[in-house]
Amino acid sequence: MTILVTGGAGYIGSHTVLELLTSGYDVVVLDNLCNASAESLKRVELLTGKTVTFYKADIRDRAAVDGIFERHRIEAVIHFAGLKAVGESTAKPLDYYSVNVSGSVVLAQAMAAAGVTKLIFSSSATVYGEDAPVPYREDMPRGKTSNPYGTSKAMVEQILTDISFADERWSAVLLRYFNPFGAHLSGQIGEDPQGVPNNLMPFIAQVAVGRRESLSIFGDDYDTKDGTCERDYLHVVDLAKGHVLALKATEQSGTHIYNLGTGKATSVKQVVQAFERVTGVTIPYSIAPRRAGDLPAFWAEASKAFSELGWRAEMGIDDMMRDTWRWQQNNPNGYRG
Ligand code: NAD
Ligand code: UDP
């Protein structure tokens, strides 16, 4: 069975391609490499002993997407391709709506034309919005998003819901990720952000290898256990496995929503302490002002994915720290060597 993975060269995508291959699927990847390196897929091939068919193309390029459906018998699509930097989305909203929203529409049109009607979409906990009570549950309505990135995810969720309502052949699985951390246990693939990392884990890892001097913790005056923000961090390999299990949900038509998180909240200071404990490396940090748009604390109600898909996170924060560190030490400059 062949799965098309858009954005498959990226962080979550490459880990998912690996899990798909080891589960016996054939994989075709489309990625324009704007935030990834084809080296990730070469390493996935080495680790699995299997091959990946790769197309360097933009998700908005209808002819390129049609060409993939013509050349391959695609059973289902896992759609990761998109832009994901929250701050940048506020500065460049059109880029985010073009890639994330128009790109998803082009993909769905090409799927419909090819008669492929099973889609798993990378959504985000951000769609619950600013005012949702915690923990977030799938049956809560989508809330008010605070930036174009979050809005683009909510818009695509709605578009896919409408498509599967209109045509009963369609199945759309909306996976709402919490905060993925870590890297594959081999230390061969991991997160490789371009420029200064926006996210906590790659920033800590780059401080640890000496690429950056010190971590800024954005605010320590929140109403949380130690004053720093709390998030639901999950291991990227657990997250990747969730996609393989979610393929099962595409057997049933309609829209299916799952949180992929651990159900546990960890503070920024706890992450730093865990990294230091696991690696023995001290992370110099200072307290900086709050970052605009950050919510104090959110985490998943994670039981639906377990009861319906049989998925739950197997690894904890210490595993995430160990595997991030292994990846970062092996690849201090990411895929650039
Ligand atoms: P990533 O940037 O590593 O992966 C996205 C991939 O899409 C990259 O390989 C990039 O080159 C590709 N891409 C971007 N624009 C494209 C285009 N126009 N055409 C073709 N390919 C394009 O990010 P990731 O962390 O692996 O995220 C994967 C998906 O999960 C994204 O949709 C993201 O919004 C979503 N998500 C990520 C997180 C997170 O914390 N990492 C949380 C929630 C949701
Ligand atoms: N954070 C931080 N310093 C950094 C990056 C992030 O203190 O350099 C904090 C941020 O304020 C948030 C948490 O770490 O509370 C997770 O941030 P990240 O950007 O990784 O994920 P988000 O939850 O914003 O998607």
Side-chain angles (χ1 to χ4, degrees):
M1 196 185 285
T2 306
I3 311 296
L4 170 62
V5 181
T6 76
Y11 173 47
I12 307 169
S14 56
H15 288 81
T16 302
V17 170
L18 189 152
E19 295 301 328
L20 286 166
L21 292 171
T22 53
S23 303
Y25 292 96
D26 294 320
V27 179
V28 175
V29 168
L30 174 149
D31 198 304
N32 70 354
L33 301 181
C34 72
N35 195 37
S37 161
E39 175 66 17
S40 65
L41 294 175
K42 292 198 188 107
R43 296 192 185 181
V44 166
E45 291 186 324
L46 278 173
L47 287 166
T48 58
K50 301 191 175 175
T51 53
V52 177
T53 308
F54 175 60
Y55 293 92
K56 182 169 186 282
D58 195 295
I59 190 67
R60 294 163 295 178
D61 180 346
R62 175 70 192 270
V65 182
D66 281 343
I68 293 176
F69 287 114
E70 278 157 24
R71 280 188 289 275
H72 303 273
R73 243 178 102 95
I74 304 291
E75 181 72 19
V77 179
I78 305 182
H79 179 36
F80 293 103
L83 302 177
K84 64 163 183 175
V86 171
E88 185 187 59
S89 80
T90 304
K92 299 178 178 172
L94 267 182
D95 288 357
Y96 277 69
Y97 292 122
S98 174
V99 175
N100 294 5
V101 182
S102 303
S104 299
V105 171
V106 169
L107 173 65
Q109 286 171 326
M111 288 175 64
V116 178
T117 53
K118 295 175 178 172
L119 177 62
I120 296 178
F121 173 60
S122 294
S123 190
S124 165
T126 192
V127 302
Y128 287 103
E130 301 166 334
D131 303 318
V134 285
Y136 294 166
R137 284 195 329 265
E138 291 91 340
D139 58 2
M140 290 174 173
R142 281 189 290 273
K144 184 176 168 298
T145 46
S146 50
N147 54 72
Y149 167 74
T151 307
S152 75
K153 291 290 175 193
M155 288 168 80
V156 176
E157 283 203 354
Q158 188 61 53
I159 290 166
L160 297 178
T161 302
D162 292 343
I163 296 173
S164 17
F165 180 76
D167 182 340
E168 63 180 18
R169 287 169 302 173
W170 272 82
S171 170
V173 180
L174 314 178
L175 298 181
R176 294 177 177 165
Y177 310 156
F178 284 69
N179 289 58
F181 265 11
H184 189 254
L185 277 64
S186 63
Q188 293 298 306
I189 57 170
E191 189 168 14
D192 180 22
Q194 324 272 305
V196 182
N198 295 304
N199 300 110
L200 180 62
M201 192 72 258
F203 205 104
I204 291 176
Q206 292 192 6
V207 171
V209 288
R211 266 173 77 180
R212 319 221 164 254
E213 251 175 46
S214 152
L215 170 73
S216 296
I217 293 184
F218 300 138
D220 69 348
D221 56 351
Y222 287 97
D223 183 16
T224 57
K225 54 192 150 212
D226 60 21
T228 64
C229 291
E230 294 173 15
R231 296 286 181 271
D232 183 340
Y233 297 103
L234 81 160
H235 199 294
V236 67
V237 172
D238 279 329
L239 179 58
K241 288 178 176 167
H243 292 74
V244 180
L245 290 171
L247 283 169
K248 206 166 62 181
T250 65
E251 299 298 327
Q252 284 185 326
S253 61
T255 308
H256 312 280
I257 303 178
Y258 297 102
N259 286 340
L260 295 183
T262 65
K264 293 190 195 95
T266 305
S267 74
V268 177
K269 277 191 178 163
Q270 285 178 315
V271 171
V272 173
Q273 286 155 6
F275 189 87
E276 292 182 334
R277 185 175 64 244
V278 169
T279 65
V281 179
T282 301
I283 301 297
Y285 69 81
S286 58
I287 305 299
R290 290 180 176 196
R291 184 171 68 177
D294 271 344
L295 296 177
F298 61 85
W299 61 95
E301 162 55 59
S303 58
K304 187 181 177 203
F306 184 59
S307 60
E308 295 190 11
L309 303 175
W311 177 88
R312 75 171 151 212
E314 301 289 343
M315 290 187 269
I317 281 284
D318 285 7
D319 302 304
M320 300 175 212
M321 299 303 123
R322 177 199 64 210
D323 298 333
T324 299
W325 185 224
R326 188 184 290 127
W327 152 253
Q328 190 72 50
Q329 277 184 302
N330 287 350
N331 307 273
N333 295 308
Y335 291 114
R336 291 168 296 281

